Amino acid sequence: MIKEIMLRVYNFIVSRFFLLMRILPLKNSVVILTSFGDNIDYIIRHPKMRLYDEVIIFSSRQYDFKTFDNVKVYTQSNLSVKELYEIGRAKNIIVDNHFPVIGGMSTLKPYVNVFQTWHAVGAVKAFGLMDESFKNRPDCAKARFKKTYQNVDYYVAGSKRMADIFKQAFSIDDKKIIKTAMPRLDFYRDQPNIQSTRNSVRSHLKIDDEVIIVTYAPTYRENQFNISDIPLDISKMIQKLPSNYKIALRLHPTVQLDTDIKGVIDLTDGFSLEEVLSVTDILITDYSSVGFEFANLMRPVIYYPYDLDEYTNTKGLIDDYESLVTTNIAYNTDDILEMIINDDFSAEEIRQFKDLWNDYNNQNNTNTLLSMLQ
C-alpha cells in the first residue's frame, strides 16, 4: 500500500509539472522512452526524423544507437527533471514499454500524441490488466493502471490477435490501435537483407550454410542463473542429432553458461535478435514472444514449456497455452529430439501461425507509424 501511495503522489507531481509546462511553446522535437532499443533504431534512421530539430532518447539500458546530428541520448530516469522537461515540450512521444511517467501524461497539451510501439510481436505471458497480480491489487491501484493506459493515444499492434489482447490488457478501444507491426519487423519483409544478415553471422561464426542451427531461447525465470539450472539435456541433443546440426543458445543476460559443452554456439551477447533469428533454422522457446517473431521467416518453432503448470499459476497466461502456439509442443529433451529427427513440422501450420500473429506486417511499418507524427 505504501508503494501505491508513492506512485499516486508521483503521478500527481508529474501531472502538475506537465500542466505548468503548457505555458511554454512546444519544440519541434520527438521524445523517445525506451527499454529495448531495437525499434528505436529503425525509427531514428528514417528520413522523417531529420525534419525535427531534436530527437531525444531516454534509454533505461545501454544501447548503441545510430548517430545523427539531431539525435541526443540520455539515461532514462523517472525522477529526471531533464526528462520531464523534454517530454513537456515535445510534439510527439514514443515509448516501447510501460514507464511510470506515463501516469502523469494526462495533462500534456491536448494535441501532443503518445505512441506505444511495445516490444513483443505476440504474447503468451499475461500482462497489464490480465496479469494475475492485478486481481489482488486494491481498487485505487486498478483505477490508476486503467487511467495510465488511457494516457497513451496509440498502440502499435502487428495482428488482429495482438490488437484484441491490447484492448483487454489495457482497457482500450479500436480507436487507439494502429494496425501495423513494430518498426523493426520491417527487417522480415526484406529477403535480401535477411539473407545478407544470415551469411554475415555464419561467416563470423565460421559455420557453413549446410549446417542446421537449432537455437534455444528461453524466457527469463527468476530462479535460473546458470544453463545447468534449465532441464534441457544439451549434451544428449549433440550426441543424438546428425553431425550437421549445431546447438545455439540465446539466454537472458542474467543466465550464465556454466557448463563446458563443446560445440555449443553462444548467441547471448553481441548479436541482435534479428541476427540470431536469421541464422537460426529451428527455434526452441517457451513463453517468450520470440517464436511469434521467428514465424515471419517461415521456419519451425518447437515450444518447450517444461514447467507449464507452475508458470501458469505464478505468472499467468493470456489464454490456454495450446491455443497460443504451434502443435510442436515438447515437455522433455526426447520429445524435442523426436520432432527434429523426424522433421515433424508442417509448412502449412507454420504459415497459419505466422499469419495469426503477423497479419498486419504487410507494409512499411516504420512509414505507417511515423506518418502519424506531427
Side-chain angles (χ1 to χ4, degrees):
M1 193 61 185
I2 294 176
K3 182 179 179 181
E4 178 59 30
I5 293 172
M6 292 176 65
L7 284 169
R8 291 175 71 85
V9 170
Y10 172 81
N11 283 350
F12 177 80
I13 293 173
V14 170
S15 65
R16 296 311 97 180
F17 182 90
F18 290 149
L19 192 60
L20 288 172
M21 290 292 293
R22 286 190 178 197
I23 65 175
L24 298 176
L26 293 178
K27 298 197 298 183
N28 182 34
S29 66
V30 178
V31 166
I32 301 172
L33 307 182
T34 178
S35 294
F36 296 88
D38 296 352
N39 281 310
I40 309 310
D41 250 348
Y42 280 82
I43 290 171
I44 64 176
R45 288 186 308 204
H46 194 279
K48 182 170 183 175
M49 291 294 99
R50 308 288 78 77
L51 301 178
Y52 295 97
D53 295 335
E54 292 180 305
V55 177
I56 305 169
I57 302 172
F58 293 95
S59 180
S60 61
R61 67 176 69 175
Q62 189 173 2
Y63 195 92
D64 186 21
F65 294 104
K66 297 292 186 297
T67 303
F68 297 94
D69 290 340
N70 67 332
V71 175
K72 300 176 181 178
V73 182
Y74 301 92
T75 300
Q76 194 275 325
S77 170
N78 297 308
L79 300 176
S80 167
V81 176
K82 169 70 174 175
E83 181 175 320
L84 297 178
Y85 173 81
E86 296 297 349
I87 291 172
R89 296 201 62 187
K91 283 185 177 180
N92 306 278
I93 299 159
I94 300 173
V95 301
D96 66 4
N97 204 348
H98 176 73
F99 296 92
V101 69
I102 298 174
M105 288 186 181
S106 59
T107 54
L108 292 171
K109 289 187 177 182
Y111 36 86
V112 172
N113 285 326
V114 181
F115 299 86
Q116 173 65 267
T117 67
W118 205 234
H119 49 270
V121 175
V124 174
K125 296 175 284 188
F127 61 94
L129 307 183
M130 303 173 75
D131 193 303
E132 284 295 311
S133 65
F134 184 79
K135 301 174 184 177
N136 301 320
R137 292 182 181 273
D139 290 341
C140 60
K142 293 178 180 179
R144 176 178 59 80
F145 272 100
K146 291 178 180 179
K147 182 179 178 181
T148 296
Y149 297 143
Q150 292 302 317
N151 290 344
V152 174
D153 296 291
Y154 298 105
Y155 290 81
V156 169
S159 65
K160 182 182 183 301
R161 184 77 170 96
M162 198 61 179
D164 290 341
I165 291 171
F166 277 164
K167 285 188 282 187
Q168 189 174 352
F170 299 134
S171 188
I172 58 175
D173 57 30
D174 274 324
K175 294 178 182 178
K176 285 185 175 286
I177 299 294
I178 304 176
K179 295 179 179 180
T180 191
M182 297 184 297
R184 66 182 178 82
L185 262 66
D186 285 336
F187 173 83
Y188 300 103
R189 296 174 52 256
D190 186 348
Q191 289 300 322
N193 193 19
I194 292 171
Q195 189 61 49
S196 174
T197 302
R198 177 182 174 90
N199 293 343
S200 176
V201 175
R202 283 182 173 252
S203 175
H204 175 77
L205 296 171
K206 296 180 173 58
I207 295 176
D208 295 335
D209 201 48
E210 291 75 21
V211 173
I212 297 174
I213 296 181
V214 180
T215 301
Y216 180 46
T219 196
Y220 169 73
R221 290 172 175 80
E222 295 174 356
N223 62 341
Q224 290 180 348
F225 301 100
N226 300 295
I227 188 63
S228 57
D229 296 329
I230 300 174
L232 179 67
D233 194 338
I234 297 174
S235 296
K236 185 174 185 178
M237 291 183 67
I238 294 173
Q239 179 184 358
K240 296 291 184 179
L241 288 173
S243 59
N244 64 321
Y245 281 70
K246 291 275 189 182
I247 305 298
L249 299 173
R250 173 71 167 195
L251 306 174
H252 190 273
T254 59
V255 180
Q256 300 297 315
L257 189 60
D258 63 327
T259 56
D260 184 19
I261 306 175
K262 293 183 179 180
V264 172
I265 305 167
D266 187 3
L267 299 176
T268 300
D269 295 318
F271 299 93
S272 69
L273 182 57
E274 292 92 334
E275 289 173 328
V276 171
L277 298 187
S278 68
V279 82
T280 297
D281 297 293
I282 300 173
L283 180 71
I284 304 171
T285 188
D286 41 32
Y287 315 104
S288 170
S289 66
V290 68
F292 307 115
E293 184 164 338
F294 187 68
N296 282 285
L297 296 172
M298 287 294 294
R299 299 173 193 166
V301 184
I302 296 174
Y303 282 90
Y304 181 41
Y306 57 83
D307 56 352
L308 180 58
D309 291 340
E310 178 186 352
Y311 199 93
T312 302
N313 292 331
T314 56
K315 297 294 184 181
L317 304 182
I318 292 292
D319 204 341
D320 293 335
Y321 190 79
E322 291 79 5
S323 71
L324 298 170
V325 302
T326 68
T327 57
N328 290 108
I329 302 175
Y331 294 99
N332 54 57
T333 303
D334 288 337
D335 289 345
I336 293 173
L337 285 169
E338 183 177 353
M339 290 178 191
I340 295 174
I341 293 171
N342 294 335
D343 193 23
D344 189 17
F345 306 109
S346 164
E348 177 59 21
E349 184 185 29
I350 294 171
R351 185 192 64 77
Q352 291 176 359
F353 182 63
K354 168 188 174 292
D355 291 345
L356 175 64
W357 291 101
N358 296 275
D359 53 326
Y360 297 155
N361 185 23
N362 55 10
Q363 56 196 314
N364 188 310
N365 303 301
T366 310
N367 274 347
T368 302
L369 170 62
L370 298 187
S371 68
M372 299 186 66
L373 269 63
Q374 301 183 69

